[in-house]
Amino acid sequence: MNRKKTVLIDGTGMLEEVYYALPDNCVKGIRNVVVRIIEEKQTDYIAAAFGNFNKDGIAAEDLKKKQELLKEALADLKIPVFEEEGARSLDLICSLAKNCEKEEKDVSVLTGNETFLMAVNEHVTVLIPGLGEEGVKLINWSADRVKAEFGLEPEQLKEVFSLERGAGIGRKTACRLLIQYGSLKTLYGRKEELESDQVRKALTEYEQQVNKEADSLCMKTDYNLRLDESKTIAESEIAEIMDMDFEPAGFPEEGEEISSSGWIKKEVTDLSDAEAVFARCATGASVGLQLAGTDKKISALALCFSKEECWCLIPQGDLTSEYLKEKTEEIIRQAEEITVLDLKSQLPFLNLNGEKTVFDASIAAYLIDPLKSSYEYNDLANDYLSLSLPSKTELLGKRTITQALEENRSQAVNCICSMAYVSFLCGNILRDELKKTDMEQLFYDIEMPLVYSLFSMEETGIRVERDRLKEYGDRLKIRIKETELKIYEQTGETFNINSPKQLGEILFEKLKLPGGKKTKTGFSTAADVLEKLAPDFPVIELILDYRQLTKLNSTYADGLAAYIGSDERIHGTFNQTITATGRISSTEPNLQNIPIRMELGREIRKVFVPQEGCVFVDADYSQIELRVLAHMSKDARLIGAYQQAEDIHAITASEVFHVPLLEVTALQRRNAKAVNFGIVYGISSFGLSEGLSITRKEASEYIEKYFETYPGVKAFLDKLVAEAKETGYALSMFGRRRPVPELKSSNFMQRSFGERVAMNSPIQGTAADIIKIAMIRVDSALKRQGLKSRIVLQVHDELLIEARLEELDQVKKLLVEEMKSAARLAVPLEVDANVGESWFDAK
DNA sequence: AACTTCACG
DNA sequence: ACGTACGTGAAGTTT
C-alpha cells in the first residue's frame, strides 16, 4: 500500500539552528530548503508549526522578527501554519504527526532541533540540516539511522538528552550508559557500580535536573490539529511556486560558501551563470557594487542586490575581465541607485565620467562624521548596521584582494562581497543621513564630482627629474657628512644626532647648555628651543643645519625618488576622507608639503617639471582664509580693508596700531600678520605670545586692539563657539560639519582646544569647500573644451596645471577665472598665477 | 606603537 | 593653576 507523505516544518526549530550559521539570511535559507522539497516532489502534504523559543537574550528579539518573516514566506508558498498560544513547536508537530499517522500518512519533520529524533518511528522520520561532503544538506533520520548512530531506540534518546542537559554528561558517555543499563531508572538504581568518579558524581549531584529535563522532554500530543485534505499540493501549485523562486535557475547550490557573518556569498566563474546574475541585476533598483583588480584589469566583481544576494564574479575562461567591465558600466547606467565604497579606487576599471551619480558610501560616512580614522566596510557595518565584520587585514593580512584570490580565494571572496553587501545596506541609511544633516548639496555637488577630478589628477601624476633629484640628494649627503663631523668635533663625542634623547643628553647634561626639560620623555631639542641658544653656541647652528639637511635628504631626496615610476612621474594619492575640516590630504608621497620656505629646500621644486611641449601654470588664492573670515563675519571694516586690496597685513597693522598705512613699520606688519594667523587658528593670548615671542600680556593687548578694530570678527567668533557648544558641531559655509566633542570636556585644556576648533573649522572648512569647487570647475572646463592640459597638484589654496604650450593662454585664463568665481564673497577672491618651466619657477 | 621633529597650507 | 596656536604626513628613534 502506497502511503501518502507529509512534511511538517518545525519553523521555530529550523530558525534556531539556521540563525547561528546565517543570522541575516536564515529566512531565505529555510525558504530555499522548503521550496526544494516541494519542487522535488518529495511530499504530498506540507504544513508548518511555530512555538516559543528556548533561547533568550539579545538574539531572541531578532529571532522573533525572523519568525514572523518566515511565517509570511511560508504563507506565500500556500503552506498552512499552525501555532497555539504558549505551545512548543515540538508538541504541535508531534500532535500533527500523531494525527497523520492515524490517517496512515508517512511523516517527515523538518527541524534543526535534535530533540525530535526521539519521535522517530517506522512512519516518522526527521530531516535535519547537517554537514555533508559538499556543504550543507538535509540528513534524513530514520529509526534505523538513529539506531546506527546512537545504538539506541529513538525513544531512549529522551534519556540521553536528559543526561546531557541535566547532568552535563557528554553524548557518547550518555549513550554508552543507556546501552549498558537500558533506562535512567536502572542506571540510577545501580550507579554505585560505575567506575568513573566523575560520572557518578554528576549523576548524584544533578539528579533533580536530570529528572526535570526528562519531564520537559515528554511530548504533549493532544493538540487537536489536523491537515486539511484539500491542501494537497497540486501540480499547478508546484509550477507556481517554482515561478515564484526569485533565484536565477541553474546556480550552484552545493559547495556554496556559508559564512558566519550572515549572507550567502556565491562565487561565479561561468559565463552563463554571470549572464543570469546580470539579468537579475536589470530588475534591481538598488545595487551594492565593488571591483578589485590591478592595472585596470578586473580580477573580481561583487554585486549585492538584496540582503540575501551577494555574488562574486571572477573572470575565468569565457567570462572575461572585459565582459565584466562592460556589464558593470551597463549596470551603472541602468540601476536606479549604485553604491560603492571608495569610488576613486573603482575608476581605473571603468569608463565613467561622473554623469551618472555613483554613491560613495565612504565619503558619505566621512561627511556625517569626519573624525573617524577610517571608512572601510567593517567601520560602516559597525556604525550603521551594528554588525561586526572581520576587517580586510584580518581576512587577507597584507595582501590585496587580487593577490588573495590566488592564495586564499574564499577569504578574498568574503572580503569583496562584504564590501558590496555593506554598500548595499548602508546606501539608503547614509542617503537619509545626508538629507537629515543638510549635506546633500555638499555631497552631490562637491564631494562626488571631486572624486573624478582627484582621480584624474592621480592618474596624470607629475613629472619628476630622477637624475636631477639624485644629484640634489648627493649634494645633501656630502654636506650632511661634513656637518656631522663638525658636530662630533665640537661636542667631543660621536653620537646619533638624529636621536633627540642622545642629543638632549649631550647638549643639556654634558655641555650644560641652558634650557631644561620640556617633553614627557626628556629634553626638548625642537628647532624653536635650539634657535634661542644659537647665538651663544656655535654647535647649535650646526645641529640645526644637520637637521635641515637630513630632513631634506631622507624625506624629499631619497623619499620622493622611491615614488618615481617608469613614466618618470609620481602618481601620489589624494585622500578625500581624512581631515576633520574638509581639506584633502596627500600621501605616498605627500606632495602637499614640498619645501618652499627655506631657500635650500625650495630648490627641490626645480625637479618637478612639465613634460615636453608643456609648461606649468601655478595659481594660488591670496589669503583665502582671511577673506572667508571677512565674508562670514560681515565685519564692515575688514571687508573695507579687502576692497582696498593691497597688503592686508599692513592695513591691519595700520588700523590696529592707529598709524597711517605708509608709516607701518616692518615689526608692526609682522605683528599684525601673526594676529591675523592667530585669528584664523582660533586666537588665544598664549598661542600668540608663543608665535611672536612676546609676553602673554602683550599678546592679549594685541588681540584686544584687534577686536576693537574689527568688532564684527569678535562677535562672529563668539557666535561660532556658542553655536558649536549648542549643537555639538561647527559648520562651514557650504554646510560641512565638524563635530567638536571637546567643548563638553571638563578639562580646561581640552575645552579651550574645542573653542579654537569651533573658530577655525568653519574658516578652514569654507576655504577647503571653495578650492574643491574651483578644482571641479577647472578640471571639467579643461575636459569640456577638449584641452590636453591637466591639473597635477592641489596644495590647499593652490592648483598646479601642466599646460600644453599651445593651450597656455586659454588655460591660464580659465584657471584664474574659475578660481576667482568659485564662490561669491563679500570681498573679491584674488588669485596669483605664474607660468614656469618648473614648479620652482612657477611660484 | 608612541613619540619627536619638521616639511607644507 | 592650567600651558597649545589650526590642519596635515613622513622619517627616525625608542619602547
Side-chain angles (χ1 to χ4, degrees):
Chain A
M1 153 120 198
N2 220 354
R3 291 168 68 106
K4 294 273 185 183
K5 175 91 184 279
T6 303
V7 165
L8 301 176
I9 304 160
D10 169 20
T12 311
M14 281 297 279
L15 273 173
E16 281 183 327
E17 178 67 16
V18 177
Y19 188 79
Y20 273 116
L22 310 167
D24 291 325
N25 206 28
C26 47
V27 172
K28 163 96 180 193
I30 294 168
R31 184 190 180 278
N32 283 348
V33 171
V34 172
V35 166
R36 209 186 314 169
I37 289 171
I38 298 172
E39 273 172 18
E40 293 171 5
K41 299 186 190 172
Q42 292 176 23
T43 189
D44 301 299
Y45 305 95
I46 192 160
F50 288 85
N52 297 334
F53 290 107
N54 294 320
K55 301 178 170 56
D56 45 34
I58 312 156
E61 278 309 301
D62 197 29
L63 268 172
K64 278 180 194 159
K65 283 184 209 151
K66 296 288 193 292
Q67 175 138 299
E68 292 311 308
L69 290 175
L70 181 58
K71 278 180 206 165
E72 279 174 38
L74 295 180
D76 283 348
L77 295 173
K78 305 210 166 70
I79 294 171
V81 171
F82 294 92
E83 52 187 331
E84 195 94 8
E85 188 66 34
R88 300 187 297 183
S89 63
L90 174 73
D91 298 329
L92 296 174
I93 294 274
C94 288
S95 300
L96 275 166
K98 199 173 88 181
N99 290 335
C100 288
E101 276 189 85
K102 280 185 197 158
E103 292 159 10
E104 305 207 320
K105 292 176 192 140
D106 280 344
V107 173
S108 282
V109 179
L110 177 64
T111 181
N113 184 350
E114 288 188 326
T115 314
F116 279 81
L117 291 176
M118 66 191 189
V120 169
N121 62 34
E122 195 190 340
H123 297 298
V124 177
T125 63
V126 171
L127 294 163
I128 298 180
L131 279 179
E133 314 85 75
E134 296 250 301
V136 175
K137 62 184 224 173
L138 287 178
I139 296 169
N140 190 11
W141 291 87
S142 61
D144 288 343
R145 182 161 192 152
V146 171
K147 272 182 236 173
E149 189 78 19
F150 295 88
L152 294 164
E153 294 297 328
E155 53 266 33
Q156 289 178 286
L157 291 181
K158 186 172 106 179
E159 303 191 328
V160 171
F161 297 145
S162 304
L163 286 173
E164 267 186 82
R165 297 174 200 185
I169 290 171
R171 174 161 300 180
K172 281 199 170 151
T173 310
C175 288
R176 190 169 48 76
L177 292 172
L178 284 164
I179 291 165
Q180 197 175 342
Y181 295 96
S183 74
L184 263 189
K185 207 178 157 191
T186 323
L187 172 62
Y188 267 96
R190 295 164 58 184
K191 69 172 187 227
E192 299 310 321
E193 297 171 16
L194 291 171
E195 286 186 19
S196 161
D197 290 345
Q198 216 187 334
V199 171
R200 192 158 2 92
K201 211 175 140 196
L203 284 175
T204 315
E205 202 167 326
Y206 297 108
E207 186 165 357
Q208 270 194 328
Q209 280 95 320
V210 170
N211 288 330
K212 209 176 127 200
E213 289 296 336
D215 284 345
S216 80
L217 284 166
C218 284
M219 292 169 288
K220 191 169 177 303
T221 57
D222 54 359
Y223 288 99
N224 189 18
L225 306 175
R226 224 161 263 280
L227 288 187
D228 185 345
E229 290 289 320
S230 67
K231 286 283 178 187
T232 311
I233 298 166
E235 284 291 320
S236 61
E237 283 181 31
I238 294 175
E240 205 181 313
I241 285 165
M242 289 179 72
D243 281 346
M244 283 166 66
D245 197 354
F246 36 87
E247 294 254 332
F251 273 90
E253 291 284 348
E254 301 296 337
E256 60 193 37
E257 285 281 326
I258 304 290
S259 97
S260 58
S261 46
W263 64 95
I264 297 177
K265 291 159 288 193
K266 284 178 184 147
E267 210 179 297
V268 172
T269 53
D270 181 86
L271 183 58
S272 62
D273 289 347
E275 278 168 353
V277 171
F278 288 122
R280 163 72 184 84
C281 206
T283 62
S286 181
V287 180
L289 184 152
Q290 205 71 29
L291 292 157
T294 41
D295 299 329
K296 305 192 168 199
K297 198 169 186 303
I298 296 169
S299 64
L301 161 64
L303 291 166
C304 180
F305 314 119
S306 78
K307 224 179 160 181
E308 282 83 21
E309 286 173 275
C310 213
W311 308 99
C312 181
L313 286 68
I314 300 169
Q316 195 178 86
D318 287 353
L319 182 56
T320 62
S321 188
E322 293 71 28
Y323 171 81
L324 290 180
K325 171 179 180 289
E326 275 167 34
K327 280 298 192 179
T328 304
E329 287 167 359
E330 197 180 307
I331 291 170
I332 289 173
R333 280 195 298 275
Q334 285 171 1
E336 196 98 347
E337 267 157 1
I338 286 278
T339 308
V340 303
L341 295 169
D342 190 4
L343 173 60
K344 180 156 62 70
S345 72
Q346 307 288 293
L347 297 180
F349 308 113
L350 302 165
N351 278 327
L352 298 181
N353 52 16
E355 222 165 82
K356 162 86 185 231
T357 300
V358 178
F359 188 94
D360 186 326
S362 300
I363 292 179
Y366 162 71
L367 287 189
I368 287 155
D369 186 358
L371 299 185
K372 300 263 170 194
S373 57
S374 74
Y375 303 88
E376 309 221 348
Y377 66 91
N378 53 314
D379 302 307
L380 301 197
N382 256 322
D383 292 346
Y384 298 98
L385 308 173
S386 301
L387 178 66
S388 175
L389 296 179
S391 69
K392 192 179 163 213
T393 317
E394 278 161 353
L395 291 173
L396 313 179
K398 283 184 177 169
R399 287 183 292 252
T400 63
I401 286 172
T402 308
Q403 289 161 351
L405 275 169
E406 314 252 327
E407 302 158 38
N408 193 348
R409 181 114 158 190
S410 71
Q411 297 289 60
V413 170
N414 187 355
C415 186
I416 193 167
C417 282
S418 297
M419 297 174 89
Y421 175 79
V422 169
S423 285
F424 175 81
L425 287 181
C426 288
N428 285 334
I429 297 172
L430 291 165
R431 284 177 182 93
D432 279 356
E433 285 293 314
L434 290 176
K435 193 175 283 185
K436 274 193 244 165
T437 53
D438 266 332
M439 290 194 287
E440 281 180 304
Q441 263 208 308
L442 177 64
F443 180 82
Y444 291 108
D445 296 347
I446 298 182
E447 298 297 337
M448 284 301 99
L450 183 69
V451 172
Y452 296 87
S453 304
L454 293 179
F455 172 70
S456 163
M457 197 161 78
E458 289 181 5
E459 201 185 32
T460 306
I462 184 165
R463 187 173 166 203
V464 174
E465 289 189 318
R466 193 193 301 271
D467 298 345
R468 216 166 153 189
L469 184 61
K470 174 85 165 59
E471 285 168 22
Y472 178 80
D474 290 342
R475 287 202 299 276
L476 290 176
K477 287 172 183 68
I478 292 166
R479 288 183 57 179
I480 287 168
K481 205 70 209 167
E482 288 169 2
T483 314
E484 191 186 336
L485 293 176
K486 282 185 197 162
I487 292 169
Y488 297 152
E489 213 173 285
Q490 299 245 341
T491 56
E493 203 158 341
T494 311
F495 65 103
N496 186 348
I497 308 164
N498 281 321
S499 161
K501 195 183 164 206
Q502 291 181 38
L503 181 63
E505 279 162 12
I506 300 269
L507 293 181
F508 301 111
E509 282 174 359
K510 187 181 173 200
L511 299 178
K512 304 240 191 305
L513 264 58
K517 280 183 190 165
K518 229 194 147 187
T519 63
K520 305 169 198 181
T521 48
F523 303 106
S524 170
T525 64
D528 58 330
V529 175
L530 296 188
E531 269 160 21
K532 289 173 187 160
L533 302 167
D536 304 320
F537 305 94
V539 71
I540 295 294
E541 199 164 354
L542 290 173
I543 289 165
L544 290 169
D545 282 348
Y546 178 86
R547 283 256 178 90
Q548 191 192 25
L549 294 167
T550 52
K551 177 83 177 181
L552 292 174
N553 183 54
S554 53
T555 305
Y556 300 102
D558 292 350
L560 287 177
Y563 290 98
I564 303 175
S566 51
D567 56 353
E568 279 266 299
R569 300 175 83 91
I570 291 178
H571 301 267
T573 305
F574 290 89
N575 311 289
Q576 210 178 338
T577 60
I578 298 288
T579 72
T581 53
R583 281 186 173 179
I584 61 173
S585 89
S586 163
T587 52
E588 291 181 307
N590 183 352
L591 294 170
Q592 291 180 322
N593 72 345
I594 304 301
I596 189 167
R597 295 172 187 170
M598 304 295 288
E599 200 47 54
L600 181 63
R602 192 176 194 151
E603 295 275 314
I604 290 181
R605 294 181 174 227
K606 290 182 178 167
V607 307
F608 287 82
V609 293
Q611 62 175 237
E612 288 74 14
C614 292
V615 283
F616 277 153
V617 188
D618 184 282
D620 67 335
Y621 284 112
S622 143
Q623 295 122 14
I624 187 167
E625 291 183 342
L626 277 181
R627 287 170 199 264
V628 164
L629 173 68
H631 173 85
M632 292 179 87
S633 69
K634 302 192 176 67
D635 183 283
R637 201 150 180 192
L638 190 54
I639 292 171
Y642 268 111
Q643 276 157 355
Q644 303 175 39
E646 297 306 315
D647 184 339
I648 187 65
H649 301 310
I651 297 170
T652 307
S654 154
E655 292 184 339
V656 169
F657 301 123
H658 306 294
V659 293
L661 183 58
L662 293 174
E663 290 172 29
V664 169
T665 63
L667 180 65
Q668 284 172 326
R669 185 183 181 281
R670 189 177 83 95
N671 290 345
K673 184 176 175 180
V675 175
N676 278 334
F677 268 96
I679 295 288
V680 169
Y681 289 157
I683 194 88
S684 78
S685 54
F686 300 109
L688 183 63
S689 64
E690 193 69 22
L692 278 177
S693 307
I694 53 175
T695 65
R696 261 163 39 199
K697 189 156 172 289
E698 287 170 305
S700 305
E701 284 165 13
Y702 284 176
I703 294 166
E704 208 172 303
K705 280 185 181 171
Y706 180 94
F707 284 145
E708 274 170 28
T709 312
Y710 305 109
V713 173
K714 167 81 172 138
F716 171 67
L717 295 179
D718 287 347
K719 194 181 80 185
L720 288 182
V721 172
E723 282 179 358
K725 280 191 171 150
E726 173 82 26
T727 61
Y729 52 85
L731 271 182
S732 82
M733 229 175 88
F734 295 84
R736 184 186 302 278
R737 289 181 181 213
R738 192 250 165 97
V740 195
E742 295 88 352
L743 284 172
K744 286 198 164 60
S745 171
S746 57
N747 178 305
F748 171 84
M749 264 269 290
Q750 294 230 317
R751 206 168 51 248
S752 304
F753 173 72
E755 289 168 3
R756 292 194 296 274
V757 162
M759 295 186 258
N760 170 266
S761 300
I763 300 170
Q764 192 182 122
T766 301
D769 296 340
I770 292 172
I771 191 147
K772 281 178 170 177
I773 294 167
M775 257 189 95
I776 295 162
R777 295 209 193 157
V778 169
D779 183 47
S780 58
L782 290 175
K783 287 167 188 170
R784 189 178 56 243
Q785 295 177 25
L787 301 173
K788 288 181 180 155
S789 305
R790 289 289 176 266
I791 304 176
V792 292
L793 289 181
Q794 187 258 37
V795 194
H796 309 308
D797 65 351
E798 169 189 4
L799 292 177
L800 184 66
I801 290 184
E802 183 181 63
R804 307 275 323 172
L805 277 171
E806 65 274 21
E807 297 172 356
L808 178 58
D809 292 342
Q810 199 180 346
V811 166
K812 191 175 169 185
K813 183 158 179 283
L814 169 167
L815 174 62
V816 172
E817 286 310 312
E818 294 295 354
M819 284 178 74
K820 279 185 176 172
S821 62
R824 255 198 119 69
L825 304 186
V827 296
L829 272 177
E830 298 215 346
V831 172
D832 297 319
N834 285 296
V835 177
E837 295 292 336
S838 74
W839 197 10
F840 181 92
D841 296 328
K843 273 299 274 188

